[in-house]
Amino acid sequence: SSFLAPKAQRKNTSKWSFPTISKTSTMKFNSAAALLAVGSLATTYGFTPSSSVSSFTSHRQSLVRPSARLPTHIQHTSRSATTLSMSTFKVGIVGATGAVGKEIVGCLEKRDFPVDSLRIFGSERSAGKEVDTKFGKVKVELFSEDAARECDVVFLAVDGDFSLAHAENICAGDDGAVVIDNSSAFRYKEGIPLVVPEINAEATKGKKLIANPNCTTAIGLMAVWPLHKLFGLSKMIMSTYQAASGAGQPGMDELKEGTRAVLSGERDVAENKIFAHPLPFNVIPHIDKFMENGYTKEEMKVTW
């Protein structure tokens, strides 16, 4: 099912260039989409070998190995802007033991990002555990803003409330870290760039807190941005069929266990505790809450 707002309400309020975007969503985004969204933003810091953005074409050859070069506008001697002049970096990940956080660690490993040290921050429940990474065994630390500020770059793989409470404090001042937030907390906040690097990487210049868009937005725009530049788009309809991993590991576990229970004949309908409805063998045209304009919140995230 599609949820269409009244014509008078269908206007562009997004940071992107498309006047109207509507979207059909069913279930939560999958981990592959999360990886692409995070990986896309990660290219702001040179995680990929090349980029189509003109501001990425000039690099200091001596800084880092070719597969992990940094754009010139973050090769400064101060941490007061979108910074970092050293050839290796102290990287922090908050929420690295969750599904999205694990994908960020995987991105760093696969793209040979020049990590001097990797610090993983978590809750009291996960603090003290060891995580195996390409950069060695890393012990999970109990999160604190002071500890996170000791890093050069901090990825936040947490919910919006956590990001709102801590992100700006982590990056504040000349000695604060550069923060890349994966939640929806800052996607629509004035002065904080919402970035898909292959499209608007230049927006990160001079910024220490960077938001990345909803996964559907990031992936979709990568495909349609060249078309929009060439021909111009007046309307775009996005239909997505999203998976349980948007609710993290507990959501994926519920889907797996529910599928097993139904296939084995143990239950006719899967049990649901994480989700409002059973997911196995089901398609639900409802994700997050309904907004006043008739769209669900997940649909609206495409324009936020």
Side-chain angles (χ1 to χ4, degrees):
S1 301
S2 296
F3 301 97
L4 296 178
K7 187 174 181 180
Q9 294 178 344
R10 282 185 248 150
K11 59 184 181 180
N12 180 36
T13 56
S14 72
K15 292 189 177 182
W16 310 107
S17 302
F18 307 111
T20 305
I21 300 178
S22 64
K23 165 180 169 240
T24 302
S25 293
T26 61
M27 305 186 232
K28 280 285 188 179
F29 63 81
N30 58 37
S31 57
L35 172 60
L36 286 171
V38 173
S40 177
L41 183 62
T43 52
T44 301
Y45 295 92
F47 289 15
T48 52
S50 62
S51 171
S52 60
V53 178
S54 60
S55 63
F56 277 47
T57 57
S58 177
H59 301 283
R60 283 187 191 167
Q61 300 293 331
S62 61
L63 265 181
V64 293
R65 49 191 175 276
S67 60
R69 291 173 186 152
L70 295 171
T72 54
H73 68 265
I74 63 172
Q75 297 170 358
H76 302 303
T77 56
S78 167
R79 292 170 68 184
S80 60
T82 312
T83 64
L84 316 177
S85 62
M86 62 288 292
S87 58
T88 56
F89 302 87
K90 298 175 183 176
V91 177
I93 303 174
V94 184
T97 56
V100 175
K102 289 176 182 177
E103 295 290 355
I104 296 176
V105 174
C107 263
L108 295 174
E109 293 175 335
K110 292 173 185 175
R111 305 191 181 210
D112 283 335
F113 189 76
V115 173
D116 174 65
S117 62
L118 177 63
R119 298 179 68 175
I120 292 176
F121 301 101
S123 63
E124 290 184 356
R125 183 180 61 183
S126 56
K129 296 179 180 178
E130 285 194 338
V131 177
D132 287 319
T133 76
K134 180 179 177 179
F135 314 106
K137 286 186 178 292
V138 180
K139 183 173 288 188
V140 179
E141 304 177 45
L142 182 63
F143 170 80
S144 74
E145 291 179 356
D146 288 341
R149 286 174 58 84
E150 294 172 0
C151 300
D152 300 312
V153 181
V154 174
F155 291 92
L156 297 184
V158 291
D159 61 38
D161 290 338
F162 187 99
S163 294
L164 285 171
H166 301 290
E168 291 175 299
N169 293 335
I170 294 172
C171 67
D174 290 349
D175 57 344
V178 171
V179 175
I180 302 175
D181 180 45
N182 194 55
S183 78
S184 61
F186 299 102
R187 288 173 182 164
Y188 212 54
K189 188 168 182 178
E190 193 67 32
I192 296 176
L194 180 61
V195 176
V196 176
E198 291 83 353
I199 296 174
N200 64 333
E202 67 281 356
T204 66
K205 292 182 179 179
K207 304 295 184 180
K208 293 184 65 179
L209 176 55
I210 300 165
N212 68 307
N214 176 267
C215 55
T216 303
T217 308
I219 297 168
L221 286 178
M222 286 295 293
V224 302
W225 176 247
L227 298 175
H228 180 63
K229 288 176 68 178
L230 285 172
F231 308 110
L233 300 180
S234 61
K235 182 177 181 178
M236 185 169 126
I237 298 174
M238 299 183 72
S239 298
T240 67
Y241 301 85
Q242 302 185 13
S245 57
Q249 193 64 49
M252 290 188 284
D253 291 342
E254 179 171 293
L255 175 62
K256 181 179 179 181
E257 174 57 26
T259 301
R260 184 205 62 77
V262 172
L263 289 176
S264 67
E266 183 180 316
R267 299 179 64 97
D268 292 330
V269 178
E271 186 178 13
N272 58 293
K273 295 179 180 178
I274 302 298
F275 298 101
H277 306 279
L279 261 61
F281 314 104
N282 201 4
V283 177
I284 305 164
H286 177 190
I287 179 168
D288 214 308
K289 61 184 179 181
F290 281 97
M291 312 295 288
E292 291 182 1
N293 62 4
Y295 288 101
T296 65
K297 187 175 181 181
E298 184 69 17
E299 289 177 305
M300 290 305 301
K301 283 180 182 178
V302 172
T303 66
W304 289 347

